Amino acid sequence: MWYIQDNQTFPVFTTYFHHSKEVFVCCLIVSLPCVFWVGLSIRGGGIDSPRPASQRAAAFILTAAMLTTLAAPAFAGTWYIENGDITVKASGTEGKNTVSQGNKKDVEDTNTIITNQNQDKASSHTVTIDANDKNDKVEVTLKDVNIDTSSRNKAAVSVTGSGNTTIKLDGDNALKSDTYRSGIYGSGSLTISGGENDSLTAQGGSGANGISSSGSLTISGGTVTANGGNGGYGIYSSGVTISGGTITANGGSGKDGSGDGIFSFDPVAISGGTVTAKGGSGEDGEDGGDGIRSFDPVAISGGTVTAKGGSGEDGSGGRGIISTKSVTISGGTVNANGGSGKNGNGGNGMQTAGICGFMAKDEGNLIQFCVNYGHISCPTGRTGGLVATLMNGNVKNSDNRGTVEDDIVGKFEGAAAQNSYNSKRMGGLIGGTDDLKKVLTATVESCTNYGNVFTHIGCRTGGFIGHSNIRIIGCANQGAILGDVYNSDHGPAWACGYSGQSSGEWVNVSSCTMGGYVGSYTTYKDNPTSAPAATVHNAFSYKNDEYYDPTINN
């Protein structure tokens, strides 16, 4: 038996109780938002004929049992994207939305589900989720959705307003947008969630991002892949939080620029899940994109994170992870690699140091009276006992007393030297500088490296600095600097792995004290102080006799 209301069909359960002169009919109608219980008594022998007490008790017991054991399903509207563009708004009643599609306007709905009638054929219709006010909450489930708006100059899914939007994933979902339109474009607070068998692939059009939000983005589960179009970012947001799931963010490649895997103006926090972020490749002189880049702190406390900078054709490679504030790793597994640079510099995998990872271009930066005792190691990027990358400012009266080395974990073990030597820059005091095309005003003054510096992969390595275009004044080295030389331009040196050439207005190394040991890592790793003593011929590993001036050093 069925009950029909507003074009919706609901099951009706009917029970008959038969007595000699009476039939009692019980009907349970399952609907939403109500459950109707209808009891009809059809009697023989007159309306005043009494019903036995046993009959009445049985009816009561069965009624109670049916009401307690039969759960009424919550009403969830299923909306098919093929039927037209869909707009979902907060209804003003908690837990409910209003949905509009075609001639259906502002239909009140609970647990809104959007799907395709035919998943194999993409629809060109769009989904707009409007959480207009900051206190609005809208929740929508995408169930096996397949949308391609590349012919409409629109984003497949748009999230508008300043409120909170949650997109739940059910099954496999694919979103593809037009040129300069992101796969998902959002504002406010956007959360994406799903189970291990639920997925979303968001493909941005040329010049656009896979997932873009002017507000914050949180991903708590599911398999989420965000691909930037040519030059676009995989994920672009004002704050990214990832606590679970499998997330892949690929920056787009292009002649007019390359996109980062994950880019954020605000903090990036990863506490769980498996995250892979890759920068796109740069073409025609463009640098490669970064794996993860933020203008605020990057904090990784759990999960597995792989961040890879893109390659640069006639430009520099992208960086694995970079923040203009700080990068903190307190848990999880992190692999960060810079991209390769053709006719340019290799990118930074990570910037690791005992005191400061990155000193930016702001004026007035100063580090002084600091000592590092820690053992610093990272297979790629830049690493220094005091500072990894020094862009501007001064480092003074500070010492490194810890060991600094690159591939202690054996990431490049067994790899050919030509495939690994250019992945790293490392120094006892400073890892390197970031712009070798111009002379920087930064200085390192009156600092001493007491620690040993070991390169397992033959990178440019110095007692003071690995890659330098800054001034080093009055510093001293006493550590053993060991590395296997791949070619004459790369290897260990007691002062600088590489340094720019002095000019009339700028001097690379002056008033510094020669000391320590320089030699092959393979030969002397078990007894570093047995390596040859420092001389005027191994101050620099690159063009030593041409660039190093022993007459102005000690």
Side-chain angles (χ1 to χ4, degrees), residues 313-352:
E313 183 178 337
D314 294 321
S316 297
R319 295 156 291 198
I321 301 175
I322 183 171
S323 166
T324 58
K325 295 291 181 64
S326 64
V327 177
T328 302
I329 301 172
S330 59
T333 301
V334 180
N335 295 295
N337 296 298
S340 61
K342 181 180 179 181
N343 300 323
N345 299 317
N348 302 321
M350 291 185 65
Q351 303 187 68
T352 50

Side-chain angles (χ1 to χ4, degrees), residues 34 98 113 178 198 201 214 257 275 298-299 373-375 384 451 458 469 523 533 545:
C34 302
T98 59
I113 298 174
D178 195 13
D198 304 318
T201 299
S214 59
V275 180
V298 174
Y373 291 93
H375 186 156
N469 227 19
T523 304
D545 295 340

Side-chain angles (χ1 to χ4, degrees), residues 141-166:
T141 297
L142 299 183
K143 178 178 173 61
D144 295 320
V145 164
N146 187 356
I147 299 175
D148 183 349
T149 60
S150 56
S151 63
R152 293 192 60 194
N153 195 30
K154 291 180 177 292
V157 173
S158 299
V159 178
T160 62
S162 57
N164 301 295
T165 297
T166 297

Side-chain angles (χ1 to χ4, degrees), residues 52 107 310 326 358 407 451 542 545:
V107 177
S326 64
F358 188 88
D407 198 13
Y542 177 78
D545 295 340

Side-chain angles (χ1 to χ4, degrees), residues 233-265:
Y233 300 89
I235 292 175
Y236 180 97
S237 182
S238 294
V240 177
T241 300
I242 299 173
S243 60
T246 300
I247 291 82
T248 301
N250 296 315
S253 304
K255 296 180 179 180
D256 297 325
S258 57
D260 302 330
I262 296 175
F263 173 86
S264 179
F265 288 102

Side-chain angles (χ1 to χ4, degrees), residues 93-361:
T93 301
E94 186 175 355
K96 294 185 178 181
N97 304 322
T98 59
V99 184
S100 298
Q101 184 183 40
N103 58 7
K104 296 179 181 179
K105 304 297 184 183
D106 296 328
V107 177
E108 191 170 77
D109 191 18
T110 305
N111 299 329
T112 302
I113 298 174
I114 298 173
T115 188
N116 280 57
Q117 291 172 318
N118 181 2
Q119 183 188 2
D120 295 331
K121 184 177 180 180
S123 170
S124 61
H125 294 300
T126 64
V127 175
T128 300
I129 304 171
D130 184 10
N132 187 53
D133 297 327
K134 66 178 182 178
N135 294 323
D136 283 349
K137 294 182 180 181
V138 180
E139 185 175 291
V140 175
T141 297
L142 299 183
K143 178 178 173 61
D144 295 320
V145 164
N146 187 356
I147 299 175
D148 183 349
T149 60
S150 56
S151 63
R152 293 192 60 194
N153 195 30
K154 291 180 177 292
V157 173
S158 299
V159 178
T160 62
S162 57
N164 301 295
T165 297
T166 297
I167 295 177
K168 287 187 172 183
L169 306 178
D170 185 356
D172 298 323
N173 299 274
L175 307 174
K176 183 178 180 181
S177 297
D178 195 13
T179 302
Y180 302 125
R181 297 292 183 267
S182 299
I184 296 178
Y185 175 78
S187 59
S189 174
L190 173 61
T191 297
I192 299 175
S193 65
E196 62 180 359
N197 296 320
D198 304 318
S199 69
L200 168 68
T201 299
Q203 174 67 58
S206 179
N209 313 313
I211 298 175
S212 182
S213 176
S214 59
S216 63
L217 172 66
T218 298
I219 302 176
S220 61
T223 298
V224 178
T225 301
N227 298 320
N230 292 342
Y233 300 89
I235 292 175
Y236 180 97
S237 182
S238 294
V240 177
T241 300
I242 299 173
S243 60
T246 300
I247 291 82
T248 301
N250 296 315
S253 304
K255 296 180 179 180
D256 297 325
S258 57
D260 302 330
I262 296 175
F263 173 86
S264 179
F265 288 102
D266 294 322
V268 174
I270 300 173
S271 60
T274 300
V275 180
T276 302
K278 296 181 179 180
S281 298
E283 302 175 7
D284 289 351
E286 295 291 337
D287 295 341
D290 301 324
I292 298 175
R293 178 160 63 111
S294 176
F295 288 151
D296 255 354
V298 174
I300 301 172
S301 59
T304 299
V305 179
T306 300
K308 178 71 168 65
S311 61
E313 183 178 337
D314 294 321
S316 297
R319 295 156 291 198
I321 301 175
I322 183 171
S323 166
T324 58
K325 295 291 181 64
S326 64
V327 177
T328 302
I329 301 172
S330 59
T333 301
V334 180
N335 295 295
N337 296 298
S340 61
K342 181 180 179 181
N343 300 323
N345 299 317
N348 302 321
M350 291 185 65
Q351 303 187 68
T352 50
I355 306 299
C356 178
F358 188 88
M359 289 182 69
K361 299 180 181 179

